[in-house]
Amino acid sequence: PILPHFGAQVRGFSLDGDGPLPDEVIHQIKEDMREFRVLLFKGQGQLSGERQVQISKQLGTIESTFYKHPRSPHPDIFRVSNDE
């Protein structure tokens, strides 16, 4: 845990790859999200927008916003930035 009852780091695991994550990994991520509310996946490098959306869809239904930032890595990723 990052704090006693909030947040946790996930170690020794890579989100990189092409195919879907194994069902048991998705189950564990969902259980950890319920318990810790926030998970921090450190040392993952740069995941493509497509990969982020693929994993997100495995975790549940995603919702897209009407606003599409021109520098967002994927149309379904809401980019929050203070630059143009």
Side-chain angles (χ1 to χ4, degrees):
I2 296 171
L3 296 172
H5 303 287
F6 184 78
Q9 277 190 44
V10 178
R11 298 182 184 157
F13 174 75
S14 176
L15 294 171
D16 197 18
D18 294 326
L21 296 176
D23 289 341
E24 61 271 8
V25 171
I26 293 297
H27 177 74
Q28 187 64 55
I29 290 172
K30 287 180 176 182
E31 291 224 351
D32 290 344
M33 284 294 293
R34 274 191 282 281
E35 181 176 353
F36 299 107
R37 311 311 276 172
V38 173
L39 299 179
L40 179 61
F41 293 83
K42 292 182 88 174
Q44 295 295 317
Q46 185 149 354
L47 296 176
S48 71
E50 288 79 14
R51 183 66 175 161
Q52 292 177 51
V53 170
Q54 179 187 41
I55 293 169
S56 296
K57 285 180 177 178
Q58 283 189 266
L59 295 169
T61 303
I62 62 170
E63 295 181 24
S64 294
T65 179
F66 65 90
Y67 177 73
K68 307 295 184 198
H69 193 286
R71 292 178 57 194
S72 177
H74 189 281
D76 289 324
I77 297 175
F78 183 72
R79 184 175 191 265
V80 178
S81 176
N82 65 354
D83 66 357
E84 299 294 323

